[in-house]
Amino acid sequence: MASLLASISTLIAQAPTPEEVNARVDLDTAVLAEIFYFFTVVVMWLIHVGFMAYEAGSSRRKNIMSTAMKNILTIAVVTPSFYYFGWWFYGCFQHGGPAQGAAGPDPELPGFCGTTYPWADAMGPNLQDHITLVFFLAFLLFSWTTGSIMSGAVIERIRLSAYLLLTLTLGSAVWIMDAAWGWSAGGWLTTKYGYHDTIASGVVHGIAGAFALGVILNLGPRIGKFDREGRPRTFRGHNTHLSLMGLMLIFTGFYGFYAACLAIQSTIFPGWLNIYLSPTTLGAIATVATVGFAGGFTGGYFASKGDPFWTLSGGLAGVIAVSAGATVYHPSLAYMLAISGGAVAVWSGQWLERKMRVDDAVGAIAVHGVCGFYGVLLVGIFAGGFPNGFNNVPVSFGGQLMGVMTFIPLGFLPGYLLAWGLKQFNLLRVPPEVELEGLDMAEFQADFFPEFERLPETIVLPTGEEVESAPVLLDAFAQTNGRRVGVPVPEERRLR
């Protein structure tokens, strides 16, 4: 008996205290969250693989490698710039201007601003912090996405150096500022107006589309894109199958994108919070994403009369249109809204090309810009009154409209002004001779498909007839009188 009592006493003495149990549970929770965000980052890499394939397939053979290199170098320039100042914008500018000190404006995350400085303890190896760096990495991949959205719109005629400056500005300054304002629990649009954009319809896709529009208006169309009457011609991408496969990879990566927009709280019901710290579930957003793709395919197919490119692009547009309300939409509603989103992308893309003479090579402005802001407004219509954020500010159409009215100029003006400045110094667009020959030969002096015969390049006329492109492009070049496209005549004369 004495031995038994001694054994029980020893076990009691070795049992963890309540404080130790809580500490172990907290550690398990932190490690689980760290693993979760790590794998969302891994899956999100597929988005950028997909963008590279999508844009390279949409390029003509003579521009394939230059298009791919833009996507690769996006990572090279945005990563360090986002680490050194982009992340600080998100942590410290949620009320519009920089926060005073390190505390930051978000009452639910005290001290968050101080963790976003590049010299902060949390931004390097730190055994006491499992979350900050993987959370930063998730946002970093969102930044790459904004640059890749613009990249597709400007292929085949932009200078690489100009593109890298533009994508650095968009990926490390412009989009993250709107995220601080409207995609955080403490942002002024959230706390004052109840702005709700759970999976970033406006703050990632919409803002990137607006920025790309500002750039394209200065960049101008590709040589030969429009005939003398302003009717659009169609350039044949070198590999439509590659473009469609790229879109499917983007769709796969979107599940990581969606998951990374949530916070995991495994010890607190219901276990998940959205970016505004409101409760949700992973299953809810995954279901909306899936029916969003399905609805978008449907809308894109019927609106484009079965065009393969626009059918798949419609799927992307559909999921973007329902992303803002992904935590609150019923799947049936999400499906119907996604159908409308796929159709809106096709119609707006055709309008931009035929009426505005905007040469967006992959439809990025319609798919991401138009449908991104369309999705934001849909939340105001179909989720009005939903309590948003830790202080339960109700969602309203006015609050959503305030976000759209804020983000459109925030995206468009920097893109337009920076591109305009580059154009004045002839630093925005490649010379027309280079554009006609192909950027690959000018930049790399190589044909990247030497084993295949170079077939004559073709172009589809507004009448639907497919002809050899060389005479058409040379005629279009002659119409410029040898002048650089997109450069004012006085400036061109001065450059000579």
Side-chain angles (χ1 to χ4, degrees):
M1 181 63 70
S3 176
L4 178 60
L5 291 175
S7 299
I8 293 174
S9 299
T10 301
L11 290 174
I12 293 174
Q14 292 176 348
T17 64
E19 291 77 12
E20 291 174 334
V21 171
N22 289 335
R24 293 178 185 179
V25 170
D26 290 343
L27 178 60
D28 284 346
T29 301
V31 171
L32 178 62
E34 185 177 28
I35 294 171
F36 169 75
Y37 282 116
F38 172 79
F39 283 108
T40 64
V41 170
V42 172
V43 175
M44 278 197 289
W45 265 92
L46 293 176
I47 294 176
H48 306 286
V49 176
F51 270 119
M52 185 171 68
Y54 171 44
E55 295 169 19
S58 300
S59 301
R60 288 167 286 180
R61 171 174 168 162
K62 61 188 180 182
N63 298 312
I64 297 168
M65 189 55 64
S66 64
T67 298
M69 285 297 292
K70 285 200 289 84
N71 283 274
I72 295 168
L73 293 177
T74 295
I75 298 171
V77 299
V78 172
T79 299
S81 57
F82 189 78
Y83 179 86
Y84 286 111
F85 58 85
W87 189 231
W88 172 65
F89 286 158
Y90 184 72
C92 300
F93 280 70
Q94 294 180 10
H95 283 183
Q100 298 296 320
D106 190 340
E108 292 294 299
L109 297 171
F112 177 59
C113 174
T115 68
T116 59
Y117 296 112
W119 57 83
D121 291 342
M123 294 302 291
N126 187 337
L127 297 179
Q128 305 301 317
D129 188 340
H130 292 268
I131 300 300
T132 299
L133 284 179
V134 287
F135 196 55
F136 158 80
L137 288 175
F139 271 74
L140 173 63
L141 269 78
F142 298 150
S143 298
W144 297 352
T145 300
T146 60
S148 294
I149 290 169
M150 178 191 64
S151 171
V154 299
I155 58 173
E156 299 197 310
R157 74 269 202 202
I158 195 169
R159 289 182 184 268
L160 178 61
S161 55
Y163 166 76
L164 293 178
L165 179 59
L166 289 162
T167 199
L168 184 151
T169 303
L170 172 60
S172 294
V174 174
W175 100 268
I176 197 62
M177 190 66 73
D178 82 64
W181 295 350
W183 207 41
S184 63
W188 64 270
L189 281 170
T190 306
T191 57
K192 293 183 179 180
Y193 299 99
Y195 178 78
H196 186 93
D197 189 4
T198 305
I199 316 291
S201 291
V203 298
V204 169
H205 300 281
I207 199 102
F211 190 96
L213 177 61
V215 173
I216 283 183
L217 291 180
N218 286 284
L219 184 63
R222 289 166 289 180
I223 293 174
K225 174 62 180 177
F226 298 100
D227 66 11
R228 295 175 185 271
E229 288 75 38
R231 297 175 300 174
R233 302 182 178 107
T234 301
F235 293 109
R236 292 293 195 192
H238 93 283
N239 191 331
T240 302
H241 295 87
L242 183 62
S243 293
L244 300 183
M245 184 185 72
L247 280 167
M248 295 300 287
L249 287 170
I250 293 172
F251 300 158
T252 305
F254 250 72
Y255 286 94
F257 188 111
Y258 261 53
C261 295
L262 300 187
I264 182 172
Q265 297 285 325
S266 61
T267 59
I268 303 173
F269 180 83
W272 300 92
L273 302 174
N274 66 17
I275 196 72
Y276 304 109
L277 306 182
S278 298
T280 186
T281 66
L282 187 61
I285 65 164
T287 302
V288 168
T290 304
V291 300
F293 287 128
F297 292 146
T298 303
Y301 178 83
F302 284 105
S304 67
K305 300 179 181 179
D307 180 83
F309 181 84
W310 276 111
T311 297
L312 257 73
S313 294
L316 184 56
V319 79
I320 290 170
V322 298
S323 289
T327 55
V328 297
Y329 288 156
H330 187 277
S332 298
L333 174 61
Y335 181 68
M336 299 304 296
L337 296 181
I339 291 175
S340 73
V344 165
V346 175
W347 296 331
S348 59
Q350 293 173 347
W351 183 82
L352 285 166
E353 182 178 70
R354 297 172 183 175
K355 301 299 182 181
M356 296 291 292
R357 309 289 187 265
V358 171
D359 181 14
D360 178 354
V362 298
I365 297 170
V367 171
H368 297 274
V370 174
C371 288
F373 291 124
Y374 174 66
V376 170
L377 295 177
L378 288 177
V379 174
I381 297 172
F382 293 98
F386 180 81
N388 191 39
F390 55 82
N391 53 358
N392 294 322
V393 179
V395 174
S396 67
F397 184 81
Q400 299 300 102
L401 182 61
M402 176 64 74
V404 171
M405 292 172 62
T406 301
F407 294 157
I408 288 179
L410 178 63
F412 177 81
L413 291 177
Y416 184 90
L417 294 174
L418 184 54
W420 179 85
L422 290 168
K423 184 174 72 173
Q424 302 312 303
F425 293 97
N426 194 34
L427 298 174
L428 181 63
R429 185 171 180 140
V430 299
E433 299 83 1
V434 171
E435 185 177 342
L436 291 175
E437 175 66 22
L439 276 66
D440 284 359
M441 191 59 67
E443 293 183 9
F444 307 107
Q445 294 80 49
D447 178 3
F448 289 94
F449 291 91
E451 67 274 23
F452 296 109
E453 180 184 359
R454 183 184 285 268
L455 299 175
E457 182 183 312
T458 62
I459 191 170
V460 180
L461 302 179
T463 59
E465 180 184 4
E466 186 170 358
V467 299
E468 268 194 53
S469 66
V472 177
L473 298 182
L474 290 174
D475 179 65
F477 173 65
Q479 292 177 40
T480 68
N481 296 317
R483 184 166 51 83
R484 289 173 174 82
V485 181
V487 177
V489 174
E491 177 67 12
E492 173 67 17
R493 290 171 178 164
R494 184 182 69 78
L495 291 169
R496 289 180 176 178

PDB file of all heavy atoms in Angstrom, residues 215-235:
ATOM      1  N   VAL A 215      -1.745  51.559 -67.505  1.00  0.00           N
ATOM      2  CA  VAL A 215      -0.516  51.293 -68.261  1.00  0.00           C
ATOM      3  C   VAL A 215      -0.818  51.150 -69.746  1.00  0.00           C
ATOM      4  O   VAL A 215      -0.142  51.746 -70.604  1.00  0.00           O
ATOM      5  CB  VAL A 215       0.176  50.024 -67.724  1.00  0.00           C
ATOM      6  CG1 VAL A 215       1.356  49.639 -68.619  1.00  0.00           C
ATOM      7  CG2 VAL A 215       0.648  50.239 -66.294  1.00  0.00           C
ATOM      8  N   ILE A 216      -1.850  50.384 -70.092  1.00  0.00           N
ATOM      9  CA  ILE A 216      -2.147  50.094 -71.496  1.00  0.00           C
ATOM     10  C   ILE A 216      -2.557  51.347 -72.260  1.00  0.00           C
ATOM     11  O   ILE A 216      -2.254  51.493 -73.443  1.00  0.00           O
ATOM     12  CB  ILE A 216      -3.240  49.013 -71.586  1.00  0.00           C
ATOM     13  CG1 ILE A 216      -2.643  47.643 -71.289  1.00  0.00           C
ATOM     14  CG2 ILE A 216      -3.902  49.000 -72.947  1.00  0.00           C
ATOM     15  CD1 ILE A 216      -3.613  46.500 -71.414  1.00  0.00           C
ATOM     16  N   LEU A 217      -3.248  52.275 -71.588  1.00  0.00           N
ATOM     17  CA  LEU A 217      -3.651  53.494 -72.286  1.00  0.00           C
ATOM     18  C   LEU A 217      -2.443  54.293 -72.756  1.00  0.00           C
ATOM     19  O   LEU A 217      -2.530  55.049 -73.734  1.00  0.00           O
ATOM     20  CB  LEU A 217      -4.530  54.351 -71.364  1.00  0.00           C
ATOM     21  CG  LEU A 217      -5.916  53.775 -71.057  1.00  0.00           C
ATOM     22  CD1 LEU A 217      -6.695  54.705 -70.134  1.00  0.00           C
ATOM     23  CD2 LEU A 217      -6.709  53.513 -72.335  1.00  0.00           C
ATOM     24  N   ASN A 218      -1.316  54.160 -72.085  1.00  0.00           N
ATOM     25  CA  ASN A 218      -0.080  54.805 -72.532  1.00  0.00           C
ATOM     26  C   ASN A 218       0.732  53.907 -73.461  1.00  0.00           C
ATOM     27  O   ASN A 218       1.408  54.396 -74.367  1.00  0.00           O
ATOM     28  CB  ASN A 218       0.780  55.183 -71.325  1.00  0.00           C
ATOM     29  CG  ASN A 218       0.245  56.373 -70.574  1.00  0.00           C
ATOM     30  OD1 ASN A 218       0.387  57.512 -71.003  1.00  0.00           O
ATOM     31  ND2 ASN A 218      -0.398  56.122 -69.439  1.00  0.00           N
ATOM     32  N   LEU A 219       0.675  52.619 -73.221  1.00  0.00           N
ATOM     33  CA  LEU A 219       1.473  51.677 -74.003  1.00  0.00           C
ATOM     34  C   LEU A 219       0.986  51.571 -75.434  1.00  0.00           C
ATOM     35  O   LEU A 219       1.774  51.461 -76.379  1.00  0.00           O
ATOM     36  CB  LEU A 219       1.439  50.310 -73.318  1.00  0.00           C
ATOM     37  CG  LEU A 219       2.275  49.193 -73.920  1.00  0.00           C
ATOM     38  CD1 LEU A 219       3.754  49.537 -73.854  1.00  0.00           C
ATOM     39  CD2 LEU A 219       1.996  47.875 -73.197  1.00  0.00           C
ATOM     40  N   GLY A 220      -0.328  51.590 -75.623  1.00  0.00           N
ATOM     41  CA  GLY A 220      -0.895  51.477 -76.961  1.00  0.00           C
ATOM     42  C   GLY A 220      -1.016  50.035 -77.418  1.00  0.00           C
ATOM     43  O   GLY A 220      -0.482  49.115 -76.801  1.00  0.00           O
ATOM     44  N   PRO A 221      -1.722  49.810 -78.526  1.00  0.00           N
ATOM     45  CA  PRO A 221      -1.933  48.452 -79.028  1.00  0.00           C
ATOM     46  C   PRO A 221      -0.706  47.921 -79.749  1.00  0.00           C
ATOM     47  O   PRO A 221       0.182  48.675 -80.167  1.00  0.00           O
ATOM     48  CB  PRO A 221      -3.108  48.616 -79.989  1.00  0.00           C
ATOM     49  CG  PRO A 221      -2.972  50.017 -80.485  1.00  0.00           C
ATOM     50  CD  PRO A 221      -2.439  50.818 -79.338  1.00  0.00           C
ATOM     51  N   ARG A 222      -0.663  46.603 -79.904  1.00  0.00           N
ATOM     52  CA  ARG A 222       0.375  45.993 -80.723  1.00  0.00           C
ATOM     53  C   ARG A 222       0.209  46.417 -82.181  1.00  0.00           C
ATOM     54  O   ARG A 222      -0.902  46.674 -82.640  1.00  0.00           O
ATOM     55  CB  ARG A 222       0.288  44.466 -80.606  1.00  0.00           C
ATOM     56  CG  ARG A 222       0.714  43.920 -79.262  1.00  0.00           C
ATOM     57  CD  ARG A 222       0.307  42.476 -79.083  1.00  0.00           C
ATOM     58  NE  ARG A 222      -1.142  42.330 -78.913  1.00  0.00           N
ATOM     59  CZ  ARG A 222      -1.764  41.178 -78.740  1.00  0.00           C
ATOM     60  NH1 ARG A 222      -1.052  40.047 -78.743  1.00  0.00           N
ATOM     61  NH2 ARG A 222      -3.069  41.138 -78.584  1.00  0.00           N
ATOM     62  N   ILE A 223       1.323  46.518 -82.886  1.00  0.00           N
ATOM     63  CA  ILE A 223       1.280  46.913 -84.291  1.00  0.00           C
ATOM     64  C   ILE A 223       0.396  45.936 -85.060  1.00  0.00           C
ATOM     65  O   ILE A 223       0.574  44.719 -84.989  1.00  0.00           O
ATOM     66  CB  ILE A 223       2.698  46.930 -84.899  1.00  0.00           C
ATOM     67  CG1 ILE A 223       3.532  48.042 -84.255  1.00  0.00           C
ATOM     68  CG2 ILE A 223       2.636  47.136 -86.411  1.00  0.00           C
ATOM     69  CD1 ILE A 223       4.985  48.034 -84.688  1.00  0.00           C
ATOM     70  N   GLY A 224      -0.576  46.480 -85.773  1.00  0.00           N
ATOM     71  CA  GLY A 224      -1.471  45.662 -86.584  1.00  0.00           C
ATOM     72  C   GLY A 224      -2.695  45.153 -85.859  1.00  0.00           C
ATOM     73  O   GLY A 224      -3.508  44.448 -86.459  1.00  0.00           O
ATOM     74  N   LYS A 225      -2.871  45.496 -84.598  1.00  0.00           N
ATOM     75  CA  LYS A 225      -4.020  44.983 -83.851  1.00  0.00           C
ATOM     76  C   LYS A 225      -5.336  45.521 -84.412  1.00  0.00           C
ATOM     77  O   LYS A 225      -6.341  44.809 -84.445  1.00  0.00           O
ATOM     78  CB  LYS A 225      -3.879  45.359 -82.373  1.00  0.00           C
ATOM     79  CG  LYS A 225      -5.083  45.013 -81.513  1.00  0.00           C
ATOM     80  CD  LYS A 225      -5.347  43.507 -81.475  1.00  0.00           C
ATOM     81  CE  LYS A 225      -6.550  43.170 -80.611  1.00  0.00           C
ATOM     82  NZ  LYS A 225      -6.860  41.725 -80.624  1.00  0.00           N
ATOM     83  N   PHE A 226      -5.341  46.779 -84.869  1.00  0.00           N
ATOM     84  CA  PHE A 226      -6.570  47.381 -85.392  1.00  0.00           C
ATOM     85  C   PHE A 226      -6.344  47.821 -86.835  1.00  0.00           C
ATOM     86  O   PHE A 226      -5.248  48.274 -87.200  1.00  0.00           O
ATOM     87  CB  PHE A 226      -6.979  48.586 -84.540  1.00  0.00           C
ATOM     88  CG  PHE A 226      -7.278  48.235 -83.103  1.00  0.00           C
ATOM     89  CD1 PHE A 226      -6.340  48.447 -82.111  1.00  0.00           C
ATOM     90  CD2 PHE A 226      -8.490  47.671 -82.756  1.00  0.00           C
ATOM     91  CE1 PHE A 226      -6.610  48.110 -80.791  1.00  0.00           C
ATOM     92  CE2 PHE A 226      -8.771  47.322 -81.445  1.00  0.00           C
ATOM     93  CZ  PHE A 226      -7.831  47.543 -80.460  1.00  0.00           C
ATOM     94  N   ASP A 227      -7.391  47.666 -87.659  1.00  0.00           N
ATOM     95  CA  ASP A 227      -7.270  48.092 -89.050  1.00  0.00           C
ATOM     96  C   ASP A 227      -7.537  49.588 -89.166  1.00  0.00           C
ATOM     97  O   ASP A 227      -7.710  50.288 -88.155  1.00  0.00           O
ATOM     98  CB  ASP A 227      -8.183  47.264 -89.950  1.00  0.00           C
ATOM     99  CG  ASP A 227      -9.673  47.490 -89.673  1.00  0.00           C
ATOM    100  OD1 ASP A 227     -10.021  48.437 -88.932  1.00  0.00           O
ATOM    101  OD2 ASP A 227     -10.504  46.709 -90.185  1.00  0.00           O
ATOM    102  N   ARG A 228      -7.588  50.095 -90.392  1.00  0.00           N
ATOM    103  CA  ARG A 228      -7.739  51.536 -90.610  1.00  0.00           C
ATOM    104  C   ARG A 228      -9.064  52.069 -90.069  1.00  0.00           C
ATOM    105  O   ARG A 228      -9.174  53.253 -89.731  1.00  0.00           O
ATOM    106  CB  ARG A 228      -7.628  51.851 -92.102  1.00  0.00           C
ATOM    107  CG  ARG A 228      -6.255  51.560 -92.685  1.00  0.00           C
ATOM    108  CD  ARG A 228      -6.232  51.770 -94.192  1.00  0.00           C
ATOM    109  NE  ARG A 228      -4.971  51.379 -94.780  1.00  0.00           N
ATOM    110  CZ  ARG A 228      -3.925  52.189 -94.926  1.00  0.00           C
ATOM    111  NH1 ARG A 228      -3.994  53.439 -94.522  1.00  0.00           N
ATOM    112  NH2 ARG A 228      -2.811  51.742 -95.485  1.00  0.00           N
ATOM    113  N   GLU A 229     -10.088  51.202 -89.992  1.00  0.00           N
ATOM    114  CA  GLU A 229     -11.385  51.624 -89.467  1.00  0.00           C
ATOM    115  C   GLU A 229     -11.486  51.406 -87.955  1.00  0.00           C
ATOM    116  O   GLU A 229     -12.542  51.654 -87.364  1.00  0.00           O
ATOM    117  CB  GLU A 229     -12.514  50.852 -90.164  1.00  0.00           C
ATOM    118  CG  GLU A 229     -12.757  51.255 -91.610  1.00  0.00           C
ATOM    119  CD  GLU A 229     -11.681  50.727 -92.546  1.00  0.00           C
ATOM    120  OE1 GLU A 229     -11.226  49.582 -92.331  1.00  0.00           O
ATOM    121  OE2 GLU A 229     -11.279  51.471 -93.460  1.00  0.00           O
ATOM    122  N   GLY A 230     -10.424  50.952 -87.348  1.00  0.00           N
ATOM    123  CA  GLY A 230     -10.431  50.723 -85.907  1.00  0.00           C
ATOM    124  C   GLY A 230     -10.994  49.382 -85.488  1.00  0.00           C
ATOM    125  O   GLY A 230     -11.212  49.133 -84.299  1.00  0.00           O
ATOM    126  N   ARG A 231     -11.238  48.486 -86.446  1.00  0.00           N
ATOM    127  CA  ARG A 231     -11.758  47.169 -86.115  1.00  0.00           C
ATOM    128  C   ARG A 231     -10.619  46.264 -85.645  1.00  0.00           C
ATOM    129  O   ARG A 231      -9.525  46.304 -86.223  1.00  0.00           O
ATOM    130  CB  ARG A 231     -12.462  46.557 -87.326  1.00  0.00           C
ATOM    131  CG  ARG A 231     -13.680  47.326 -87.803  1.00  0.00           C
ATOM    132  CD  ARG A 231     -14.244  46.712 -89.076  1.00  0.00           C
ATOM    133  NE  ARG A 231     -13.270  46.731 -90.156  1.00  0.00           N
ATOM    134  CZ  ARG A 231     -13.454  46.155 -91.351  1.00  0.00           C
ATOM    135  NH1 ARG A 231     -14.599  45.504 -91.587  1.00  0.00           N
ATOM    136  NH2 ARG A 231     -12.520  46.216 -92.281  1.00  0.00           N
ATOM    137  N   PRO A 232     -10.860  45.430 -84.623  1.00  0.00           N
ATOM    138  CA  PRO A 232      -9.772  44.613 -84.083  1.00  0.00           C
ATOM    139  C   PRO A 232      -9.478  43.397 -84.947  1.00  0.00           C
ATOM    140  O   PRO A 232     -10.380  42.745 -85.471  1.00  0.00           O
ATOM    141  CB  PRO A 232     -10.295  44.188 -82.711  1.00  0.00           C
ATOM    142  CG  PRO A 232     -11.785  44.185 -82.853  1.00  0.00           C
ATOM    143  CD  PRO A 232     -12.101  45.301 -83.815  1.00  0.00           C
ATOM    144  N   ARG A 233      -8.195  43.119 -85.094  1.00  0.00           N
ATOM    145  CA  ARG A 233      -7.750  41.847 -85.656  1.00  0.00           C
ATOM    146  C   ARG A 233      -7.371  40.931 -84.489  1.00  0.00           C
ATOM    147  O   ARG A 233      -7.173  41.388 -83.361  1.00  0.00           O
ATOM    148  CB  ARG A 233      -6.549  42.049 -86.570  1.00  0.00           C
ATOM    149  CG  ARG A 233      -6.782  43.018 -87.732  1.00  0.00           C
ATOM    150  CD  ARG A 233      -5.539  43.089 -88.597  1.00  0.00           C
ATOM    151  NE  ARG A 233      -5.699  43.966 -89.749  1.00  0.00           N
ATOM    152  CZ  ARG A 233      -5.132  45.162 -89.879  1.00  0.00           C
ATOM    153  NH1 ARG A 233      -4.357  45.635 -88.899  1.00  0.00           N
ATOM    154  NH2 ARG A 233      -5.318  45.883 -90.965  1.00  0.00           N
ATOM    155  N   THR A 234      -7.226  39.652 -84.777  1.00  0.00           N
ATOM    156  CA  THR A 234      -6.891  38.674 -83.741  1.00  0.00           C
ATOM    157  C   THR A 234      -5.546  38.039 -84.036  1.00  0.00           C
ATOM    158  O   THR A 234      -5.345  37.477 -85.121  1.00  0.00           O
ATOM    159  CB  THR A 234      -7.963  37.569 -83.667  1.00  0.00           C
ATOM    160  OG1 THR A 234      -9.229  38.161 -83.380  1.00  0.00           O
ATOM    161  CG2 THR A 234      -7.614  36.568 -82.570  1.00  0.00           C
ATOM    162  N   PHE A 235      -4.620  38.151 -83.073  1.00  0.00           N
ATOM    163  CA  PHE A 235      -3.335  37.468 -83.191  1.00  0.00           C
ATOM    164  C   PHE A 235      -3.481  36.043 -82.655  1.00  0.00           C
ATOM    165  O   PHE A 235      -4.081  35.828 -81.603  1.00  0.00           O
ATOM    166  CB  PHE A 235      -2.253  38.202 -82.386  1.00  0.00           C
ATOM    167  CG  PHE A 235      -1.912  39.558 -82.916  1.00  0.00           C
ATOM    168  CD1 PHE A 235      -2.285  40.700 -82.232  1.00  0.00           C
ATOM    169  CD2 PHE A 235      -1.223  39.697 -84.109  1.00  0.00           C
ATOM    170  CE1 PHE A 235      -1.970  41.952 -82.716  1.00  0.00           C
ATOM    171  CE2 PHE A 235      -0.906  40.956 -84.613  1.00  0.00           C
ATOM    172  CZ  PHE A 235      -1.280  42.081 -83.914  1.00  0.00           C
TER     173      PHE A 235
END
